[in-house]
Amino acid sequence: MFNRALFCGILPGTGNMADTHNKTTERSPGETIAPRLRFAPSPTGHLHVGGARTALYNWLYARGRGGSFVLRIEDTDLARSTDESIRQIISSLVWLGLDWDEGPGVGGDHGPYRQTERMHIYEETVKALLASGKAYRCYCSPDELEHEREKARAAGQPLVYGGRCRALSPEEEQSLQTEGRDAVIRLRTPDTGSTIVPDLIKGDVEFENVNIGDFIIVRSSGVPTYNFAVAVDDASMGITHVIRGDDHLPNTPRQLMLFEAMGKKPPAYGHLSLILGPDRTPLSKRHGASSIEEFISRGYVREALCNYLALMGWSLDGETTFFSMDEMVEKFSLERVGSTAAAFDNDKLLWMNGHYIREMEENELAKRIELFLQDTELAALHGHAGTPTISALVPLVQEKMKTLADFVDYTDFFFLPLVFEEKALVKLEKDEKAAAVLAAAQNVIESVEPYDAETLDAALRAAAERMEIKLGKFLQPIRIAVSGKTITPGMFETLAMLGREISAARLDAAIKLLSPS
RNA sequence: GCCCCCAUCGUCUAGUGGCCUAGGACACCGCCCUUUCAAGGCGGCGGCGGGGAUUCGAAUUCCCCUGGGGGCACCA
């Protein structure tokens, strides 16, 4: 596990690194403790691929080492957080198969798991920090702060708080208060030296303390800021490993300072490089699907998404491509996580999705399709009024499908009125032999006995041979006539599934369509 | 402006000083198979950002540059 020595002496001379009071992190020499990981999304939108990958890595690490996976909702941004987001994030996590041991819906010993419900814990910590002088009230207005930043920018200085309110006398505080000024609470941080973040993925990263400054831990509204809430929660929840996005790396020294001030041992950190769009610019809406919900609605399966996401930054050996969830759990390690930002490649995901669909048990695939079609108009049509069921159709299209949505494109003509695709119609009309082929096919279909794929196969092949037309060319007009498309499942299976009556009727309609009248 | 991270085929990556004339996968291009489309098989195209330094030897170590990304909020 992680090296305790790494965490000592981060802020020389600013107090002891006291042991945490949490039982789960106490251990005797040589004994390893069960890791506690967490995923802590802020509910300000959907779960995106980046967040999903972060959640996955935390989950894999916890599951692979007999640890716990905690879900915590970071909703201290009151203006942007919504319950709807929480609902969506949770449903995406459930869909991905990333279950949590503690958190919303399941409870746990370290709750509550929503930061807005943990205010009393933050208040208590602030009180202690204030009492010990490790934190202080600051009365500077946002305007004053902004001017300060502008000046610093002009002077080429780091944009940090100058410390005006750092050493206010009780009288000065009193007078600022009577002036009606609001106060925020800042952490007193070292002016000199540096803070080293021992990162499991990037190695030691050093930050000069002068570039950090006394940062705000409690807003004038009394709501704690992100950095503060995170540190308090990670400490009180006994989190041992924090795996999160690269964007948090500059926050980490601040959180380390907070742990120091609280006298708690910080977790080990691992920062993942961000996922970029296909053009290597930051992933955004204009890149198409980026939320898990979108991938679900486009017919992706969880196995493919998890597998693909796992490989966005992690590899076992550079050769192995497919991993079941169990294999990922078994093989995943932070040592094998790379530090280069990965660009999202839709083609590869699509290919992988097709792979998992092909590998799936027919019954399972049928279930997935059913679920996917839920609440669509098509759902009601399957298996009714003589139309084939999803399970009956699966064997015909499984090999071709790349997404669950493809099922619809390949099979809708089985239960919807025939509609010709423009391209197909043109092709049919341009084929001089189409009329003759259709007539021959009509003959076969009406007479063949029994009416099944195998018999149709033999009979149609024979007909093609008689007419001296290559099978592929012979079948194409028939394909278009019965499906309206140029691409369908195997022709014999399709005709069999469609039934003699409908096949004959559609052939008939096509023949009439072609005959000059 | 200041701070930090990153840098191997178009993309995801393997590679931790000689096993590298740099390996695999997606995509792309051929060919094969074939009932259309897929799938599958075989083959091909294609890369260590640039410059120094260390070394007998560098994709691998160090420095500089360049490029990309992140952060510097009473956002998370």
Side-chain angles (χ1 to χ4, degrees), chain A residues 417-420 425 428-429 434-435 438-439 441-442 445-446 477-478 480-484 500-517:
Chain A
L418 189 66
V419 175
F420 284 101
L425 193 56
L428 183 65
E429 288 168 337
L438 259 21
Q442 176 79 302
I445 279 164
E446 275 168 358
I478 304 173
I480 294 169
V482 300
S483 71
R500 200 197 300 267
E501 221 170 284
I502 293 177
S503 299
R506 290 187 178 178
L507 244 22
D508 200 47
I511 290 167
K512 289 206 173 84
L513 188 75
L514 288 182
S515 66
S517 53

Side-chain angles (χ1 to χ4, degrees), chain A residues 52 66 81 113 120 138 143 167 221 238 274 284-285 289 398 412 455 510:
Chain A
S81 296
Y113 293 91
H120 57 286
C138 165
D143 270 1
S221 64
L274 267 23
S284 72
K285 313 95 234 148
Q398 178 165 18
D412 56 359
T455 319

Side-chain angles (χ1 to χ4, degrees), chain A residues 444 455-467 469 471 474-475 492:
Chain A
V444 170
T455 319
L456 283 164
D457 185 329
L460 289 169
R461 271 179 206 277
E465 236 166 85
R466 246 176 281 131
M467 295 177 71
I469 299 175
L471 188 63
F474 179 81
L475 256 18
F492 311 126

Side-chain angles (χ1 to χ4, degrees), chain A residues 304-377:
Chain A
L305 207 48
C306 285
N307 195 153
Y308 180 73
L309 252 18
L311 258 18
M312 292 244 87
W314 171 79
S315 74
L316 179 65
D317 51 17
E319 308 275 307
T320 318
T321 305
F322 299 113
F323 297 90
S324 67
M325 288 302 252
D326 286 345
E327 285 165 339
M328 273 187 248
V329 165
E330 187 194 333
K331 313 278 199 206
F332 182 81
S333 73
L334 255 18
E335 293 76 55
R336 300 286 317 167
V337 171
S339 47
T340 46
F344 199 87
D345 182 2
N346 270 302
D347 286 334
K348 191 159 183 174
L349 205 216
L350 188 62
W351 162 78
M352 191 166 268
N353 204 58
H355 167 85
Y356 276 103
I357 285 179
R358 285 191 297 280
E359 295 292 292
M360 212 171 273
E361 294 284 329
E362 284 181 13
N363 287 341
E364 178 62 20
L365 180 55
K367 262 189 252 168
R368 305 279 184 113
I369 293 169
E370 205 163 325
L371 214 59
F372 178 76
L373 257 24
Q374 218 169 41
D375 304 324
T376 67
E377 288 174 33

Side-chain angles (χ1 to χ4, degrees), chain A residues 203 229 389 394:
Chain A
T389 59
V394 161

